[in-house]
Amino acid sequence: MAKLPIASERLIDEFGPHPYSLPPGGFSAVGEPDRVVETHCCFCGQQCGIKLKVKDEKIVGFEPWEEFPFNQGKLCPKGVKRYMQDEHPDRLKTPLVRAEGRGFSPIGWSEAFDRVAQALRRVQEAHGPDSVAVLGGASLTNEKAYLVGKFARVVLGTANVDYNGRLCMVSAAAASKKVLGIDRAANPWSDIPKAEVILIAGANVAECAPITTDYLWRARENGAKIIVLDPRMTPIARTADLYIPVRSGGDIGVFNGMLHVMLERGWIDRSFIAEHTTGFSELERVLAKYTPEYAGKIAGIPPKLIIRAAELWGPAKSSFLLHARGIEHHSKGVDNCIAAIHLCVATGRIGKEGSGYAMITGQGNGQGGREQGQKCDQLPGARDIENPEHRKHIASVWGIDEKTLPGKGISAMEIFEAIHAGKIKGLFSLCFNPMVSLPNQGFIREALEKLEFFGAVDFFMSETTRHADILLPGSLMEEDTGTTTNVEGRVILHKKVVDPPGEARQDWRILCGLAERLGQGEKFRYGSPQEIFEELRVASKGGIADYAGITYEKIEKNHGVFWPCPSEDHPGTPRLYEGGIFGHADKKAHFQPVEWRPAAEEPDEEYPIVLTTGRVVAHYLSGNQTRRIGGLVRQTPDPYCEMHPRLAQKLGVSDGEPVEVESRRGSLVVRAMIVNTIRPDTVFVPYHWPDERAANRCTIPALDPVSKIPEYKICAVRVRRAADQTDARGLRPTSREGAR
């Protein structure tokens, strides 16, 4: 059983997280670096270019990489601190085995491989191939993501493989495929400054994708009008031309309401609709009832805001729509995204310079991480695992009988439900921290404790890997070579800068070593990540996400290559859907009428307040990396509960005072942050912290029926003063400057 071998406090003492502030040699001059390597940031989906400085085989600093076109040298607070994790004292440097009552003990690689292989084989022999699940990460390179899917399906023969990108942008992906036929941002970011109107829905751009802010400011300098939909007046909303404080879960009301007004006033492109789309007449019938008054009630806003948004968006000659998790993290997340895309397609403003649509990728390789086959329903090239022709192609590349290739598995949250139910007995994961990132934390802990075996690969011990039976030390991004695919669909190259420390190994070598122990070594004989990429190119050829014409050399020469790129003489495809040619077989966009429906859990008398969750600029995902970097910890040391003054007055809460936020699943105590920039019926808690400070103690595991994404953005809570619990929870004063 994967219970903690010792108290978590003792594990933290030994393995962290410990905030660490000094690079090798300190901040004093260390002399000229031995080399400077052009590579990319390891954090969010923007994947900014950066130069890392190396001295005595240690990363000692960075320089801006001004020539890389996406960020042109600009970096966010995480980017300028990212190198601080390389020589961190918390780094895992040797394989570890659980030692009951003592914590973890180091073992050699040979014994570690043997133990993992024997345990996985034992579980599957007793309970069947699907009794073991594999979880990957959307921060893994394309090469590693490809291997995760191949390892699960070829070596273990399990259908149950998924990744933490399931928590990111799968709703946007499903919506794009349904309407447009392709899962990718439709335009390069260079189109943003050319748009007359930009609509930003559910995206805290300034904190979650800071470099994108520069593109928006350039658009504003060119005269663009900016519309923002969000329950919170985020930094980007404070200077918007129109801010719409939509109720969490009410986004369809705004999108359908805008389109209703645009239909009435003739602000749609009927010739484009007739020539390049299907399904519009049915959509028209659905939209008839979404008057500004009806839509406003759904969205919790005055009808005039919907009318004004339509007046800005409708008659514009060019426009760009951006959205992120704010409209995606819902049990109707796919429908939210579909309704947003309709605004672009109905006006014919997509596939054109300065007119387009994009989802803002959250995780480092959130785009490429699902294209290469570690998603439970996809094979490399974004192929459908249930399509016979797609299965046949991948089976031929892998050298296996198509009949042995497992079918569609279950998603990440469903995997934990199956563990909890006793259907899955073994788990192997890479760089996934569900004890912080999945909803209903208590349920996730109970599931982990029921496992017969849990093996994991990571470079720091996370709150999840504290439960592992075997923990294998993997590699940071800068300790290996590999590609990722950024927010635009641009495939870029991360260069190996230094070797992993101690006995730590590159992740792909770990997977290959385990494949050897499990009798499939001949199918995992790679000498380098480039060899893996060459196989990936063949596997993706002819698929939607076609990388066949992309090479490492081509990426370096062109500062990245946009897929699809079907041949080496093809330049890549920065802008999709040009000429009104979409990704479906009929080359048309398919309107998909959607209706608003309530969230899985709406506020009531017992739990009257909406809780929504999200990120802050100083931290990344579960915080397993950023909560170890001293400067970022000081910027935002703790989570907090953002609330409106009217709600605070009603609750009798003062600014900085501890409050308890409680749902039907759990509670946490954090400091109140009283602001005028949030709806009075809503509170916001960032989610990067674990244990007693975890926002996901409260969130609900309701899933979108299509994307299986959890509903992080709305659940019902009650909030009350908790001054008497301050000392017990060890709260520190919240840094207002860092948090907002």
Side-chain angles (χ1 to χ4, degrees), residues 488-653:
E488 308 167 287
R490 184 197 303 258
V491 183
I492 59 174
L493 182 64
H494 290 252
K495 295 180 182 177
K496 179 174 173 288
V497 183
V498 293
D499 290 321
E503 296 179 41
R505 293 190 181 181
Q506 291 149 340
D507 301 332
W508 65 272
R509 295 186 185 276
I510 295 173
L511 289 171
C512 292
L514 285 172
E516 183 74 37
R517 288 298 202 281
L518 288 162
Q520 294 286 351
E522 74 281 359
K523 293 184 175 62
F524 286 76
R525 296 237 160 85
Y526 305 103
S528 68
Q530 189 165 5
E531 288 186 15
I532 302 170
F533 188 77
E534 291 303 309
E535 183 176 299
L536 182 158
R537 291 174 62 200
V538 176
S540 74
K541 185 174 179 60
I544 292 174
D546 193 335
Y547 284 42
I550 303 176
T551 65
Y552 279 16
E553 293 75 21
K554 190 172 178 178
I555 293 171
E556 284 202 77
K557 180 180 178 181
N558 296 283
H559 288 138
V561 180
F562 290 80
W563 70 260
C565 182
S567 62
E568 289 193 32
D569 60 355
H570 191 284
T573 313
R575 188 180 299 111
L576 300 175
Y577 317 127
E578 289 187 304
I581 299 172
F582 293 91
H584 293 294
D586 61 4
K587 307 301 182 185
K588 295 185 176 184
H590 296 176
F591 286 107
Q592 309 274 332
V594 293
E595 294 263 26
W596 177 83
R597 63 180 187 274
E601 183 180 75
E602 296 282 356
D604 54 25
E605 288 187 7
E606 190 177 4
Y607 295 91
I609 301 168
V610 170
L611 168 66
T612 191
T613 65
R615 306 179 185 183
V616 298
V617 69
H619 292 290
Y620 179 61
L621 303 184
S622 74
N624 195 37
Q625 292 165 269
T626 54
R627 285 185 281 112
R628 300 173 197 269
I629 299 174
L632 298 177
V633 172
R634 287 190 296 274
Q635 185 171 345
T636 310
D638 292 294
Y640 49 88
C641 179
E642 215 175 73
M643 66 176 70
H644 192 275
R646 293 213 301 265
L647 178 59
Q649 184 178 24
K650 181 179 178 181
L651 299 173
V653 171

Side-chain angles (χ1 to χ4, degrees), residues 425-457:
K425 306 285 188 178
L427 178 65
F428 187 75
S429 77
L430 295 88
C431 299
F432 192 165
N433 192 10
M435 272 300 296
V436 177
S437 58
L438 281 180
N440 195 2
Q441 184 192 86
F443 180 90
I444 302 302
R445 180 183 292 106
E446 290 173 5
L448 285 173
E449 291 177 350
K450 291 184 176 184
L451 285 167
E452 291 184 10
F453 174 73
F454 176 27
V457 178

Side-chain angles (χ1 to χ4, degrees), residues 323-508:
H323 66 72
R325 311 300 82 75
I327 72 168
E328 299 163 29
H329 277 160
H330 294 272
S331 55
K332 53 182 177 292
V334 174
D335 288 353
N336 286 342
C337 298
I338 286 172
I341 297 171
H342 285 168
L343 291 172
C344 302
V345 179
T347 52
R349 297 199 298 259
I350 190 165
K352 300 175 181 178
E353 185 177 15
S355 284
Y357 158 80
M359 67 290 278
I360 300 177
T361 311
Q363 298 194 61
N365 198 24
Q367 181 68 51
R370 65 182 174 277
E371 296 164 0
Q372 310 311 330
Q374 63 173 339
K375 187 167 175 272
C376 70
D377 59 348
Q378 282 191 182
L379 293 169
R383 286 183 162 87
D384 182 355
I385 198 166
E386 297 186 310
N387 182 304
E389 289 302 314
H390 294 185
R391 294 170 58 83
K392 181 179 178 181
H393 173 75
I394 297 302
S396 68
V397 174
W398 288 349
I400 62 173
D401 186 338
E402 186 270 328
K403 294 177 182 178
T404 68
L405 185 62
K408 180 180 177 180
I410 55 178
S411 69
M413 188 66 206
E414 292 172 316
I415 283 172
F416 279 89
E417 291 170 350
I419 295 170
H420 206 280
K423 296 177 182 178
I424 290 177
K425 306 285 188 178
L427 178 65
F428 187 75
S429 77
L430 295 88
C431 299
F432 192 165
N433 192 10
M435 272 300 296
V436 177
S437 58
L438 281 180
N440 195 2
Q441 184 192 86
F443 180 90
I444 302 302
R445 180 183 292 106
E446 290 173 5
L448 285 173
E449 291 177 350
K450 291 184 176 184
L451 285 167
E452 291 184 10
F453 174 73
F454 176 27
V457 178
D458 217 323
F459 38 75
F460 293 122
M461 182 177 286
S462 70
E463 288 73 24
T464 302
T465 58
R466 293 173 193 166
H467 292 259
D469 295 290
I470 300 282
L471 179 53
L472 306 176
S475 52
L476 289 167
M477 190 73 82
E478 52 268 37
E479 294 163 358
D480 202 358
T481 297
T483 60
T484 60
T485 306
N486 86 338
V487 64
E488 308 167 287
R490 184 197 303 258
V491 183
I492 59 174
L493 182 64
H494 290 252
K495 295 180 182 177
K496 179 174 173 288
V497 183
V498 293
D499 290 321
E503 296 179 41
R505 293 190 181 181
Q506 291 149 340
D507 301 332
W508 65 272

Side-chain angles (χ1 to χ4, degrees), residues 49-219:
I50 189 173
K51 296 181 180 180
L52 293 179
K53 299 163 69 174
V54 182
K55 182 76 170 178
D56 298 328
E57 295 308 311
K58 298 180 188 297
I59 297 176
V60 296
F62 75 96
E63 292 179 358
W65 184 9
E66 296 178 357
E67 295 78 18
F68 187 69
F70 181 85
N71 61 307
Q72 298 177 324
K74 294 178 287 292
L75 295 166
C76 80
K78 291 187 292 292
V80 300
K81 297 280 198 311
R82 51 99 67 218
Y83 74 98
M84 297 292 294
Q85 61 186 331
D86 291 279
E87 295 296 320
H88 201 290
D90 289 349
R91 276 300 301 276
L92 300 175
K93 298 180 181 179
T94 185
L96 299 171
V97 62
R98 162 193 297 270
E100 297 295 344
R102 293 185 290 117
F104 287 86
S105 298
I107 57 173
W109 274 104
S110 181
E111 183 182 359
F113 278 151
D114 285 343
R115 289 199 184 200
V116 173
Q118 290 165 9
L120 294 173
R121 190 180 291 117
R122 182 180 66 248
V123 170
Q124 289 188 305
E125 287 174 353
H127 306 289
D130 290 342
S131 65
V132 166
V134 177
L135 290 172
S139 294
L140 300 176
T141 62
N142 291 317
E143 291 81 355
K144 295 175 185 178
Y146 174 82
L147 277 198
V148 168
K150 184 178 179 181
F151 178 84
R153 296 180 175 113
V154 173
V155 178
L156 297 178
T158 180
N160 294 323
V161 54
D162 209 47
Y163 73 131
N164 60 13
R166 181 67 62 179
L167 319 178
C168 186
M169 53 186 293
V170 286
S171 288
S176 286
K177 286 195 288 186
K178 282 177 173 289
V179 180
L180 306 173
I182 299 175
D183 162 22
R184 205 205 87 184
N187 298 63
W189 255 226
S190 57
D191 274 352
I192 294 174
K194 302 170 185 176
E196 286 187 12
V197 176
I198 301 170
L199 193 158
I200 305 164
N204 183 3
V205 175
E207 295 199 69
C208 303
I211 305 308
T212 295
T213 308
D214 178 68
Y215 287 87
L216 298 172
W217 289 165
R218 280 190 266 157

